[in-house]
Amino acid sequence: MDGLNRRDALKASGILGALGALAIVSPARAEPWTWSPQGSVAGSGSGADPMTVWDPEADDLVAGLIDRGEVPRVNELLRTWTRNGQPLPDGLPSDLRDFMEYARQLPQWTDRAKLGTAIEFNKKRGLYLGVLYGFASGMMSTVIPKEARAVYYSKGGQDLKDRISKTAKLGYDIGSNNAYGPDGEMVVTCVKTRLVHAAVRHLLPQSPHWVHSAEEDIPISQNDIMVTWHSLPTTVMKHLTAWKVPIPPHESEAFLHSWQVAAHMLGVRDEYIPNSWPEANSQAAQVLDPIIAATPEGARLADRLLGLGANIDFAVLSKPVLGSFTRFLLGDKIADGLSIPREPVWDPLLRFSWGPFIAVREGLLTAVPPAADAYWLLDEFLRKAALIYLAELRMPISIELPTMNRDM
Ligand code: HEM
């Protein structure tokens, strides 16, 4: 019996969850993996399909912590570890401490000057970045089927608002002053997230709900991480370029660099991290574009995301307006898949006025009435939409290792 059939049989008999997924072979990708490691920051590599690679160093370690019941104590200790330059707290299990000391090191190809420029870029373009991380990347994550299912059936799926805040934290940390410096928080966020992902790899195969809906046997492969990665910087840069926001090449490179370092710190092998925007775009065309699809789990996550504006109570951020913005950013196919209704006023407004509005904001065009009124409305929208995303960060956020799946 091949891996897939055996898995189907196990699914039918409900044994798979109890057994865990260790011995089971993942289904192959539809198209062979052809992206060359020559286009990576490593410049070479084995060329192994990243769909068959996870994070063995972290995975074995964290599975052990969960099985030995050590996670609650570890979470408590790690709550105090918030700054990159801070020593690890005393009392951590020694294997975890060793791993974290190793995992917190920035890659040797880190370019501090580029990271400095990235901070400038983030400051300058914070408004656009906030809106794009929230609504282009955030909504896109709901139509990445494997991610949507993993998030929905994991513990975090229970409290989606909390889950969204925590993911927003990473977008915030990477853009903040000193992101990777000793008083920044990005290294801490990445190392903790790497551990959380390892926990999810151990736990989700024990969820009958996940097992019944997922195609893969073990979640969050290196391929999956790069898919999500492309929903972040690659997608954000694609929109900024489409909006014709003027970005000098050294800023665009620096922004990419800050995300290359993030991928490394999340445990992605250097041979899968693109070394340039053209390489990133070519990898995204292979791993992200073909897999985008709506799922029932993703549609529920999207609905929650579109409802976030209601907490802030600005009419310009009502669910229909955010839905229309999603349609504008991600296209009709995705919007229809997520059952986002068409909006007779906002859909055409965004389609025809967003480009000129950005040109006016950037000083490339002068607004003339009556278009100026529409631009005022769009400006209001832009600033408030970025706020929703930031509002999710008001509370101190602590990324913690889960010990169980969602309680369905
Ligand atoms: C947790 C970011 C890729 C599924 C997290 C957390 C962050 C994060 C910041 C911690 C938040 C929390 O504890 O809820 C990222 C980034 C990624 C990435 C930046 C890629 C660049 C993925 C992928 C999947 C995934 C590919 C699934 C296919 C999850 C799940 C959790 C999680 C299930 C745990 C939620 C919980 O139960 O607490 N991720 N992630 N992530 N991530 Fe990711």
Side-chain angles (χ1 to χ4, degrees):
M1 204 184 262
D2 67 17
L4 210 52
N5 289 339
R6 186 156 57 101
R7 183 165 193 273
D8 287 346
L10 285 171
K11 267 188 175 182
S13 64
I15 304 170
L16 186 59
L19 274 183
L22 288 176
I24 293 155
V25 181
S26 261
R29 72 166 68 241
E31 299 290 331
W33 169 252
T34 53
W35 192 81
S36 164
Q38 282 174 354
S40 71
V41 294
S44 64
S46 67
D49 186 336
M51 226 181 226
T52 61
V53 184
W54 290 268
D55 187 359
E57 296 153 303
D59 295 348
D60 294 346
L61 174 73
V62 174
L65 295 178
I66 295 175
D67 292 343
R68 292 194 301 272
E70 291 181 319
V71 169
R73 191 169 61 89
V74 164
N75 277 335
E76 204 184 313
L77 291 170
L78 288 184
R79 231 164 270 157
T80 62
W81 189 55
T82 56
R83 301 273 164 195
N84 301 337
Q86 204 181 328
L88 289 172
D90 288 336
L92 290 173
S94 60
D95 51 353
L96 176 64
R97 161 179 290 273
D98 291 348
F99 172 75
M100 291 179 73
E101 288 297 0
Y102 149 79
R104 71 191 290 191
Q105 303 305 318
L106 293 176
Q108 39 81 16
W109 42 264
T110 302
D111 181 331
R112 299 261 172 199
K114 279 189 182 171
L115 292 180
T117 308
I119 290 170
E120 289 310 308
F121 173 72
N122 279 292
K123 260 193 221 149
K124 222 159 93 184
R125 299 303 183 187
L127 210 54
Y128 297 145
L129 292 173
V131 169
L132 286 169
Y133 282 142
F135 291 92
S137 311
M139 291 305 286
M140 193 169 258
S141 71
T142 71
V143 285
I144 297 173
K146 288 182 180 178
E147 185 179 351
R149 290 191 196 104
V151 167
Y152 190 79
Y153 293 113
S154 70
K155 171 120 190 315
Q158 218 149 284
D159 182 348
L160 287 180
K161 193 156 166 345
D162 181 63
R163 157 76 207 179
I164 291 165
S165 322
K166 288 181 175 169
T167 309
K169 178 169 167 53
L170 191 136
Y172 179 80
D173 289 348
I174 199 171
S176 61
N177 247 341
N178 294 332
Y180 292 101
D183 46 341
E185 300 191 9
M186 189 59 186
V187 170
V188 172
T189 297
C190 286
V191 172
K192 287 186 178 177
T193 301
R194 186 170 175 186
L195 295 173
V196 170
H197 286 158
V200 169
R201 291 190 192 99
H202 185 61
L203 292 170
L204 271 183
Q206 300 172 35
S207 155
H209 302 282
W210 181 78
V211 168
H212 278 267
S213 68
E215 300 152 30
E216 71 279 31
D217 302 316
I218 305 172
I220 322 186
S221 66
Q222 300 246 329
N223 183 81
D224 296 333
I225 298 187
M226 286 315 294
V227 169
T228 299
W229 189 92
H230 288 298
S231 75
L232 289 150
T234 316
T235 301
V236 164
M237 191 47 79
K238 187 178 104 182
H239 287 293
L240 290 174
T241 309
W243 297 354
K244 301 198 171 61
V245 175
I247 303 174
H250 72 286
E251 288 187 6
S252 154
E253 275 231 358
F255 176 64
L256 173 64
H257 189 66
S258 68
W259 276 100
Q260 289 166 327
V261 175
H264 177 97
M265 299 308 286
L266 287 167
V268 177
R269 286 188 188 170
D270 289 352
E271 71 172 279
Y272 301 127
I273 304 174
N275 67 9
S276 66
W277 283 119
E279 286 295 345
N281 291 331
S282 97
Q283 192 187 74
Q286 182 169 8
V287 300
L288 174 67
D289 301 349
I291 56 108
I292 294 288
T295 56
E297 293 88 355
R300 271 172 247 156
L301 294 172
D303 195 57
R304 187 74 173 92
L305 205 52
L306 291 180
L308 281 183
N311 303 329
I312 300 196
D313 200 25
F314 294 134
V316 78
L317 293 182
S318 64
K319 206 166 175 179
V321 179
L322 293 176
S324 179
F325 193 57
T326 303
R327 180 177 295 278
F328 169 63
L329 290 178
L330 303 183
D332 286 338
K333 189 166 161 248
I334 293 180
D336 292 343
L338 293 172
S339 308
I340 292 173
R342 293 192 184 250
E343 293 301 323
V345 175
W346 277 88
D347 289 354
L349 177 69
L350 288 167
R351 205 164 341 124
F352 297 116
S353 307
W354 189 264
F357 156 66
I358 296 289
V360 169
R361 273 200 105 244
E362 295 296 323
L364 305 172
L365 198 72
T366 312
V368 280
D373 290 345
Y375 297 162
W376 179 86
L377 192 64
L378 292 176
D379 205 55
E380 187 76 352
F381 168 79
L382 180 66
R383 281 180 295 113
K384 303 250 161 93
L387 244 186
I388 311 190
Y389 179 72
L390 291 175
E392 292 306 307
L393 295 163
R394 273 174 310 198
M395 306 287 287
I397 291 167
S398 165
I399 293 178
E400 313 229 327
L401 291 174
T403 51
M404 56 183 192
N405 292 308
R406 180 178 185 167
D407 194 7
M408 301 295 290

XYZ file of all heavy atoms in Angstrom, residues 144-160 162-171 173 186 189-190 192-201 203-204 210 216 218-233 259 262-263 266 268 397-406, ligand 1:
647
model
N -4.559 30.465 1.428
C -3.487 29.471 1.307
C -4.024 28.261 2.069
O -4.047 28.253 3.307
C -2.178 30.001 1.936
C -1.699 31.253 1.175
C -1.104 28.927 1.945
C -0.505 31.958 1.807
N -4.527 27.273 1.354
C -5.318 26.238 2.031
C -4.605 25.560 3.205
O -5.203 25.388 4.271
C -5.632 25.236 0.921
C -5.618 26.065 -0.329
C -4.543 27.096 -0.112
N -3.331 25.205 3.032
C -2.666 24.480 4.128
C -2.542 25.356 5.357
O -2.689 24.892 6.487
C -1.285 24.007 3.685
C -1.327 22.870 2.690
C 0.103 22.457 2.378
C 0.150 21.324 1.383
N 1.545 20.985 1.076
N -2.243 26.629 5.129
C -2.089 27.526 6.268
C -3.443 27.751 6.944
O -3.558 27.716 8.176
C -1.492 28.862 5.827
C -1.210 29.750 7.024
C -0.594 31.097 6.661
O -0.221 31.293 5.508
O -0.504 31.935 7.573
N -4.473 27.976 6.121
C -5.804 28.233 6.689
C -6.242 27.059 7.569
O -6.720 27.247 8.690
C -6.806 28.466 5.563
N -6.018 25.838 7.077
C -6.448 24.675 7.870
C -5.607 24.529 9.123
O -6.126 24.234 10.205
C -6.343 23.392 7.035
C -7.351 23.333 5.942
C -7.384 21.936 5.333
N -8.061 21.966 4.071
C -7.441 21.908 2.887
N -6.135 21.755 2.827
N -8.126 21.974 1.772
N -4.288 24.739 8.972
C -3.411 24.586 10.139
C -3.807 25.588 11.221
O -3.932 25.241 12.400
C -1.950 24.776 9.735
N -4.049 26.818 10.804
C -4.397 27.848 11.787
C -5.762 27.542 12.397
O -5.965 27.651 13.607
C -4.380 29.245 11.121
C -5.019 30.290 12.003
C -2.945 29.645 10.792
N -6.687 27.140 11.566
C -8.060 26.930 12.039
C -8.140 25.793 13.069
O -8.853 25.905 14.068
C -8.957 26.607 10.838
C -10.428 26.610 11.185
C -11.115 27.818 11.303
C -11.123 25.432 11.408
C -12.454 27.845 11.628
C -12.471 25.451 11.732
C -13.123 26.656 11.837
O -14.457 26.670 12.174
N -7.400 24.727 12.838
C -7.528 23.570 13.739
C -6.498 23.569 14.871
O -6.533 22.710 15.742
C -7.441 22.259 12.952
C -8.633 22.092 12.030
C -8.490 22.129 10.652
C -9.912 21.947 12.569
C -9.595 22.016 9.810
C -11.019 21.835 11.727
C -10.846 21.874 10.363
O -11.947 21.773 9.550
N -5.573 24.537 14.845
C -4.621 24.593 15.959
C -5.255 25.393 17.086
O -6.313 25.996 16.918
C -3.321 25.248 15.505
O -3.559 26.617 15.274
N -4.571 25.421 18.210
C -5.128 26.092 19.392
C -5.502 27.544 19.085
O -6.544 28.048 19.504
C -4.088 26.030 20.511
C -4.405 26.841 21.713
C -4.495 25.981 22.940
C -5.047 26.717 24.144
N -4.466 28.040 24.319
N -4.632 28.212 18.312
C -4.861 29.619 18.005
C -6.144 29.869 17.221
O -6.681 30.974 17.239
N -6.642 28.833 16.525
C -7.866 28.983 15.743
C -9.070 29.272 16.623
O -10.096 29.791 16.169
N -8.927 28.955 17.906
C -10.027 29.139 18.846
C -10.296 30.626 19.089
O -11.416 31.032 19.277
C -9.613 28.516 20.168
C -10.718 27.809 20.878
C -10.108 26.658 21.654
O -9.741 25.636 21.101
N -9.956 26.832 22.934
N -9.218 31.398 19.168
C -9.374 32.823 19.421
C -8.663 33.566 18.291
O -7.498 33.900 18.370
C -8.754 33.191 20.775
C -8.947 34.666 21.090
O -9.353 35.420 20.179
O -8.688 35.060 22.234
N -9.445 33.797 17.225
C -8.806 34.316 16.017
C -8.273 35.716 16.189
O -7.287 36.093 15.574
C -9.800 34.284 14.866
C -10.048 32.884 14.359
C -11.039 32.921 13.216
C -8.743 32.272 13.882
N -6.932 37.001 18.842
C -5.646 36.862 19.514
C -4.582 36.386 18.518
O -3.461 36.872 18.469
C -5.841 35.847 20.652
C -4.573 35.630 21.433
O -4.110 36.601 22.029
O -4.062 34.488 21.449
N -4.991 35.463 17.701
C -4.085 34.881 16.711
C -3.634 35.965 15.717
O -2.467 36.076 15.351
C -4.836 33.725 16.040
C -4.374 33.310 14.697
C -3.116 32.522 14.723
N -2.484 32.755 13.447
C -1.347 32.270 13.057
N -0.670 31.505 13.837
N -0.878 32.534 11.882
N -4.584 36.801 15.285
C -4.256 37.856 14.332
C -3.298 38.863 14.981
O -2.326 39.305 14.378
C -5.551 38.549 13.817
C -6.320 37.577 12.930
C -5.218 39.822 13.033
C -7.753 37.974 12.648
N -3.548 39.185 16.272
C -2.640 40.124 16.951
C -1.229 39.583 16.969
O -0.263 40.319 16.789
C -3.008 40.337 18.418
O -4.360 40.363 18.592
N -1.115 38.275 17.233
C 0.228 37.715 17.355
C 0.952 37.720 16.023
O 2.150 37.969 15.947
C 0.147 36.301 17.920
C -0.223 36.331 19.386
C -0.290 34.941 19.944
C -0.536 34.960 21.423
N -0.860 33.625 21.920
N 0.222 37.454 14.948
C 0.875 37.476 13.644
C 1.219 38.914 13.284
O 2.278 39.198 12.719
C -0.032 36.839 12.582
O -0.440 35.580 13.109
C 0.682 36.632 11.284
N 0.324 39.843 13.669
C 0.603 41.260 13.399
C 1.885 41.676 14.110
O 2.637 42.509 13.614
C -0.559 42.130 13.869
N 2.158 41.062 15.250
C 3.346 41.438 16.016
C 4.609 41.249 15.169
O 5.515 42.066 15.213
C 3.435 40.610 17.300
C 4.692 40.935 18.113
C 4.649 40.315 19.484
C 5.997 40.362 20.191
N 6.606 41.682 20.266
N 4.633 40.171 14.394
C 5.826 39.932 13.587
C 5.995 41.033 12.527
O 7.087 41.551 12.330
C 5.737 38.551 12.956
C 7.018 38.058 12.308
C 7.276 36.604 12.670
C 6.966 38.201 10.815
N 4.869 41.423 11.888
C 4.929 42.505 10.906
C 5.354 43.811 11.558
O 6.035 44.635 10.949
N 7.208 44.054 14.496
C 8.594 43.948 14.976
C 9.603 44.128 13.849
O 10.645 44.756 14.037
C 8.837 42.575 15.631
C 8.131 42.456 16.967
O 7.662 43.497 17.480
O 8.032 41.336 17.485
N 12.678 41.382 17.093
C 12.417 40.493 15.962
C 13.066 39.110 16.132
O 12.487 38.103 15.761
C 12.914 41.199 14.685
C 12.545 40.518 13.412
S 10.770 40.336 13.193
C 10.767 39.336 11.702
N 10.916 37.189 18.527
C 9.658 36.776 17.891
C 9.899 35.606 16.938
O 9.129 34.638 16.917
C 9.030 37.981 17.143
O 8.732 38.979 18.116
C 7.762 37.602 16.429
N 10.961 35.683 16.147
C 11.226 34.607 15.181
C 11.579 33.297 15.886
O 11.078 32.231 15.504
C 12.363 34.989 14.238
S 11.915 36.197 13.007
N 10.805 32.304 18.894
C 9.605 31.751 19.540
C 8.657 31.157 18.495
O 8.077 30.098 18.693
C 8.885 32.828 20.351
C 9.605 33.207 21.649
C 8.770 34.166 22.484
C 9.499 34.499 23.794
N 8.744 35.482 24.601
N 8.529 31.876 17.366
C 7.627 31.367 16.313
C 8.154 30.041 15.756
O 7.385 29.118 15.487
C 7.491 32.419 15.181
O 6.966 33.617 15.756
C 6.584 31.941 14.085
N 9.468 29.953 15.634
C 10.055 28.696 15.130
C 9.682 27.540 16.072
O 9.341 26.443 15.633
C 11.587 28.868 15.034
C 12.277 27.702 14.401
C 13.738 28.012 14.112
N 14.394 26.807 13.617
C 15.692 26.691 13.380
N 16.486 27.738 13.561
N 16.207 25.559 12.940
N 9.723 27.826 17.376
C 9.363 26.795 18.354
C 7.857 26.479 18.276
O 7.447 25.312 18.367
C 9.723 27.248 19.776
C 11.222 27.447 20.057
C 11.437 28.072 21.439
C 11.986 26.118 19.959
N 7.046 27.534 18.085
C 5.588 27.301 17.972
C 5.299 26.420 16.759
O 4.511 25.469 16.831
C 4.807 28.639 17.858
C 3.348 28.385 17.496
C 4.899 29.440 19.149
N 5.941 26.720 15.640
C 5.709 25.906 14.439
C 6.095 24.446 14.687
O 5.416 23.526 14.219
C 6.494 26.467 13.246
C 5.895 27.736 12.689
N 6.607 28.634 11.944
C 4.648 28.264 12.781
C 5.823 29.647 11.579
N 4.632 29.448 12.090
N 7.194 24.253 15.430
C 7.610 22.869 15.732
C 6.534 22.187 16.582
O 6.210 21.006 16.378
C 8.952 22.876 16.460
N 5.965 22.938 17.521
C 4.905 22.360 18.368
C 3.701 21.978 17.513
O 3.110 20.902 17.671
C 4.494 23.370 19.448
N 3.366 22.860 16.567
C 2.210 22.598 15.695
C 2.452 21.326 14.864
O 1.550 20.524 14.650
C 1.943 23.821 14.788
C 0.937 23.503 13.690
C 1.467 25.014 15.626
N 3.691 21.109 14.429
C 3.991 19.904 13.638
C 3.767 18.643 14.457
O 3.411 17.602 13.927
C 5.444 19.934 13.142
C 5.697 20.979 12.107
C 7.078 20.819 11.468
N 7.389 22.006 10.698
C 8.173 23.002 11.144
N 8.771 22.918 12.305
N 8.365 24.059 10.391
N 1.601 18.532 17.125
C 0.236 18.456 17.651
C -0.829 18.223 16.576
O -1.741 17.411 16.779
C -0.104 19.753 18.412
C 0.675 19.982 19.715
C 0.433 21.407 20.231
C 0.255 18.967 20.781
N -0.723 18.948 15.449
C -1.833 18.856 14.484
C -2.086 17.435 13.965
O -3.248 17.054 13.788
C -1.615 19.811 13.303
C -2.176 21.216 13.468
C -1.947 22.006 12.175
C -3.658 21.257 13.841
N -8.100 18.068 11.737
C -7.058 18.468 10.784
C -6.737 17.304 9.849
O -6.660 17.462 8.629
C -5.795 18.934 11.522
C -4.720 19.380 10.563
C -4.670 20.561 9.900
C -3.589 18.614 10.124
N -3.561 20.599 9.076
C -2.881 19.418 9.193
C -3.093 17.341 10.425
C -1.710 18.987 8.564
C -1.926 16.912 9.796
C -1.247 17.728 8.874
N -1.622 17.008 3.593
C -0.283 16.588 3.994
C -0.349 15.861 5.339
O -1.336 15.945 6.051
C 0.662 17.797 4.065
C 0.435 18.770 5.214
C -0.687 19.780 4.985
O -1.656 19.441 4.275
O -0.620 20.883 5.554
N 2.345 16.027 7.719
C 2.974 16.871 8.733
C 2.863 18.308 8.221
O 3.236 18.580 7.079
C 4.466 16.512 8.929
C 4.609 15.015 9.255
C 5.087 17.364 10.039
C 6.044 14.535 9.275
N 2.338 19.221 9.035
C 2.161 20.592 8.530
C 3.465 21.389 8.535
O 4.464 20.978 9.120
C 1.164 21.194 9.524
C 1.389 20.452 10.804
C 1.842 19.059 10.417
N 3.393 22.570 7.931
C 4.429 23.602 7.955
C 5.790 23.070 7.470
O 6.790 23.070 8.194
C 4.566 24.285 9.345
C 3.198 24.472 10.022
C 5.286 25.626 9.217
C 3.235 25.273 11.334
N 5.805 22.607 6.214
C 7.093 22.242 5.599
C 7.839 23.536 5.265
O 7.267 24.629 5.341
C 6.842 21.451 4.315
O 6.217 22.299 3.368
N 9.092 23.393 4.850
C 9.859 24.577 4.438
C 9.188 25.227 3.221
O 9.233 26.437 3.056
C 11.293 24.172 4.101
C 12.021 23.542 5.263
C 13.177 24.374 5.780
O 13.812 25.094 5.040
N 13.442 24.275 7.067
N 8.580 24.394 2.374
C 7.848 24.942 1.233
C 6.691 25.820 1.731
O 6.487 26.934 1.256
C 7.289 23.792 0.392
C 6.583 24.275 -0.854
O 7.213 24.587 -1.853
N 5.272 24.374 -0.795
N 5.954 25.310 2.715
C 4.808 26.073 3.235
C 5.261 27.405 3.825
O 4.595 28.427 3.670
C 4.063 25.278 4.319
C 3.441 24.011 3.778
O 3.134 23.977 2.577
O 3.265 23.048 4.551
N 6.383 27.371 4.521
C 6.845 28.631 5.131
C 7.173 29.636 4.032
O 6.834 30.812 4.126
C 8.069 28.410 6.053
C 7.671 27.490 7.207
C 8.583 29.753 6.601
C 8.728 27.317 8.274
N 7.798 29.161 2.957
C 8.110 30.100 1.872
C 6.843 30.577 1.164
O 6.771 31.721 0.712
C 9.111 29.486 0.883
C 10.533 29.413 1.429
S 11.123 30.915 2.276
C 11.188 32.115 0.929
N 5.821 29.725 1.090
C 4.549 30.175 0.504
C 4.028 31.370 1.308
O 3.690 32.428 0.759
C 3.507 29.025 0.514
C 2.121 29.560 0.170
C 3.908 27.932 -0.462
N 3.998 31.201 2.628
C 3.495 32.281 3.483
C 4.418 33.494 3.401
O 3.966 34.640 3.388
C 3.373 31.782 4.940
O 2.437 30.704 4.932
C 2.905 32.872 5.874
N 5.700 33.237 3.333
C 6.670 34.329 3.196
C 6.335 35.167 1.960
O 6.322 36.383 2.007
C 8.067 33.711 3.100
C 9.234 34.649 3.167
C 9.913 35.021 4.278
C 9.887 35.307 2.054
N 10.946 35.868 3.941
C 10.953 36.062 2.590
C 9.680 35.320 0.674
C 11.808 36.828 1.801
C 10.529 36.092 -0.124
C 11.576 36.829 0.437
N 6.018 34.507 0.852
C 5.693 35.260 -0.367
C 4.388 36.046 -0.215
O 4.195 37.053 -0.897
C 5.614 34.326 -1.575
C 6.955 33.824 -2.007
N 7.950 34.665 -2.442
C 7.484 32.574 -2.040
C 9.030 33.951 -2.739
N 8.769 32.681 -2.493
N 3.513 35.568 0.665
C 2.283 36.348 0.889
C 2.616 37.620 1.657
O 1.794 38.527 1.748
C 1.241 35.517 1.643
O 1.592 35.397 3.022
N 3.813 37.686 2.218
C 4.238 38.876 2.957
C 5.096 39.775 2.054
O 4.537 40.506 1.251
C 4.917 38.438 4.265
C 3.901 37.866 5.288
C 4.507 36.814 6.191
C 3.319 38.995 6.129
N 6.442 39.718 2.095
C 7.189 40.727 1.341
C 6.944 40.717 -0.167
O 6.845 41.775 -0.789
C 8.656 40.404 1.654
C 8.674 39.012 2.133
C 7.353 38.788 2.800
N 13.566 40.667 5.260
C 12.730 39.457 5.211
C 13.546 38.191 4.937
O 13.142 37.093 5.336
C 11.611 39.637 4.180
C 10.447 40.361 4.794
C 10.141 41.690 4.661
C 9.472 39.805 5.681
N 9.027 41.982 5.407
C 8.581 40.846 6.037
C 9.244 38.532 6.206
C 7.499 40.654 6.887
C 8.163 38.340 7.050
C 7.309 39.388 7.394
N 14.590 37.264 8.249
C 13.451 36.686 8.984
C 13.246 35.220 8.610
O 13.037 34.360 9.476
C 12.180 37.487 8.706
N 13.335 34.923 7.312
C 13.128 33.525 6.882
C 14.176 32.625 7.538
O 13.852 31.553 8.072
C 13.217 33.432 5.357
N 13.405 32.014 11.069
C 12.251 31.123 11.260
C 12.616 29.667 10.965
O 11.770 28.786 11.027
C 11.096 31.552 10.350
C 10.356 32.833 10.759
C 9.463 33.316 9.609
C 9.519 32.612 12.018
N 14.123 28.542 8.022
C 14.172 28.150 6.606
C 15.640 27.995 6.204
O 16.486 28.818 6.569
C 13.490 29.222 5.708
C 13.619 28.853 4.233
C 12.029 29.391 6.098
N 2.022 41.396 23.922
C 1.737 40.114 23.281
C 2.842 39.128 23.597
O 4.014 39.439 23.432
C 1.639 40.301 21.755
C 0.377 41.106 21.440
C 1.609 38.978 21.032
C 0.337 41.621 20.026
N 2.449 37.953 24.055
C 3.465 36.957 24.342
C 3.185 35.725 23.478
O 2.097 35.153 23.537
C 3.378 36.638 25.839
O 4.070 35.487 26.130
N 4.151 35.376 22.649
C 3.973 34.192 21.794
C 4.321 32.962 22.629
O 5.410 32.881 23.183
C 4.873 34.308 20.545
C 4.362 35.468 19.676
C 4.902 33.007 19.770
C 5.183 35.729 18.436
N 3.376 32.049 22.738
C 3.571 30.904 23.638
C 3.428 29.584 22.882
O 2.662 29.488 21.924
C 2.515 30.949 24.747
C 2.414 32.344 25.356
C 2.459 32.333 26.867
O 1.954 31.365 27.445
O 3.017 33.302 27.447
N 4.122 28.573 23.376
C 4.028 27.251 22.756
C 2.693 26.620 23.121
O 2.339 26.570 24.298
C 5.131 26.335 23.303
C 6.547 26.671 22.908
C 7.536 25.773 23.625
C 6.687 26.454 21.426
N 1.955 26.128 22.116
C 0.704 25.439 22.457
C 0.997 24.028 22.982
O 2.030 23.441 22.663
C -0.040 25.384 21.125
C 1.034 25.439 20.078
C 2.195 26.190 20.677
N 0.071 23.502 23.781
C 0.213 22.113 24.237
C -0.923 21.258 23.703
O -0.989 20.063 23.962
C 0.163 22.026 25.771
O -1.003 22.731 26.205
C 1.393 22.620 26.417
N -1.861 21.898 23.017
C -2.975 21.125 22.461
C -3.515 21.813 21.219
O -3.120 22.941 20.902
C -4.080 21.010 23.502
C -4.552 22.354 23.988
S -5.783 22.114 25.252
C -6.422 23.747 25.415
N -4.444 21.114 20.545
C -5.071 21.677 19.356
C -6.325 22.435 19.759
O -6.681 22.491 20.939
C -5.423 20.545 18.388
C -4.169 19.910 17.818
O -3.308 20.616 17.308
N -4.056 18.600 17.934
N -7.019 22.953 18.743
C -8.272 23.643 19.004
C -9.288 22.649 19.576
O -9.376 21.513 19.131
C -8.807 24.189 17.675
C -10.102 24.926 17.824
C -10.518 25.471 16.475
N -11.701 26.289 16.660
C -12.189 27.116 15.756
N -11.611 27.227 14.590
N -13.257 27.843 16.007
C 2.051 30.550 14.775
C 4.225 33.695 11.803
C 4.259 30.280 8.388
C 0.795 27.993 10.866
C 2.720 31.655 14.298
C 3.084 32.802 15.066
C 3.658 33.709 14.239
C 3.688 33.106 12.930
C 4.186 35.099 14.595
C 2.888 32.952 16.557
C 1.546 33.486 16.799
C 0.746 32.623 17.683
O 1.267 32.059 18.642
O -0.452 32.518 17.393
C 4.500 32.992 10.638
C 5.324 33.491 9.556
C 5.360 32.515 8.599
C 4.521 31.427 9.080
C 5.998 34.856 9.527
C 6.081 32.470 7.292
C 6.890 33.397 6.844
C 3.262 29.396 8.734
C 2.756 28.339 7.897
C 1.770 27.708 8.583
C 1.666 28.351 9.876
C 3.261 28.030 6.516
C 0.922 26.526 8.197
C 0.954 25.903 7.049
C 0.882 28.454 12.152
C 0.129 27.898 13.250
C 0.508 28.619 14.398
C 1.471 29.611 13.953
C -0.859 26.760 13.171
C 0.090 28.375 15.825
C -1.162 29.000 16.221
C -1.519 28.503 17.617
O -2.120 27.461 17.699
O -1.171 29.170 18.599
N 3.126 31.844 12.997
N 4.035 31.759 10.316
N 2.580 29.365 9.924
N 1.674 29.473 12.604
Fe 2.914 30.567 11.502
